[in-house]
Amino acid sequence: LALEAFKQRDPNLVIRQDVEDGQPVERGTVIFFLNGNAHALLSAERVALNFMQRLSGIASLTAQYVAAVEGTGAKILDTRKTTPGWRTLEKYAVRCGGGMNHRMTLSHAVLIKDNHIAALDGDIKLAVQRARDIAPEGMRIEVECDGIDQVAQALKANADIILLDNMSLSEMREAVRIVAGRAVVEASGGVNLQTVRGIAETGVDWISVGALTHSPAALDLALDF
């Protein structure tokens, strides 16, 4: 993206790229060298840096979470809490950091949340059945649960993914025991770099982290002549 910004201003630009997307770098590393028209380079500078700083920040934060759960078997996933217009880019950055993408849009999976369940007077079985009736064949159905009783209901309704929303570690361990591999178990809520290891060690399969895309710090990058 950064290189394309420069190329748009100077089609004859000469580039030497030393670092690929997803490659870790140390402070002071030169990412790429540019040789071209000075006016073109300076006019594209901020656009290029905006792309690189934001997306590299996402990749870097994701990499920290991935490192924190290493060896547990849990996968770090993003959410749809993305910058309007940037979702594809930000989810690509998550993959560069070693994370996985959750659904891209509402059409990629059915997530039955608390409001959907409340609209059906708490009937999780009915919610899952209605979702199966209208969803394309093979689409996965996920149910958000805020207690062990709902986990049991979602499992009985044959949900493909069970989302544990803001549960304690003991509740997560109990949920994992109940599910026993019959569905994917995802944890969400209250996840940060201090808590993610403990969450992973409960045995959940996925940990979704909205912070990856809604509040990463920009990576410190600059264009130097």
Side-chain angles (χ1 to χ4, degrees), residues 6 9 37-47 223 225:
F6 289 116
R9 301 297 297 138
N37 179 270
H39 180 269
L41 294 176
L42 292 171
S43 62
E45 174 185 5
R46 181 42 54 194
V47 173
L223 173 71
F225 270 55

Side-chain angles (χ1 to χ4, degrees), residues 79-200:
T79 70
R80 290 190 305 116
K81 297 174 182 176
T82 53
T83 307
W86 280 56
R87 179 170 295 165
T88 300
L89 306 181
E90 293 182 345
K91 283 181 171 280
Y92 169 69
V94 167
R95 295 199 304 277
C96 285
M100 289 174 50
N101 294 150
H102 212 301
R103 56 183 185 162
M104 187 69 70
T105 70
L106 291 172
S107 65
H108 285 106
V110 177
L111 174 52
I112 299 171
K113 294 178 66 66
D114 52 355
N115 284 336
H116 303 123
I117 295 171
L120 293 176
D121 296 323
D123 194 334
I124 290 177
K125 182 179 180 180
L126 178 59
V128 172
Q129 184 57 57
R130 286 190 174 180
R132 295 241 183 255
D133 289 343
I134 64 173
E137 185 176 356
M139 179 174 284
R140 293 197 288 188
I141 310 297
E142 180 171 7
V143 178
E144 178 183 273
C145 302
D146 59 16
I148 297 300
D149 57 332
Q150 289 191 336
V151 170
Q153 293 177 56
L155 190 62
K156 190 174 182 180
N158 294 317
D160 301 299
I161 308 168
I162 295 176
L163 172 59
L164 312 181
D165 183 42
N166 283 295
M167 288 192 188
S168 66
L169 296 182
S170 60
E171 288 175 316
M172 290 183 199
R173 282 189 288 269
E174 177 63 10
V176 169
R177 186 192 67 79
I178 292 171
V179 174
R182 288 174 286 175
V184 173
V185 180
E186 176 184 349
S188 182
V191 183
N192 55 53
L193 286 170
Q194 287 69 50
T195 62
V196 69
R197 180 76 189 189
I199 293 171

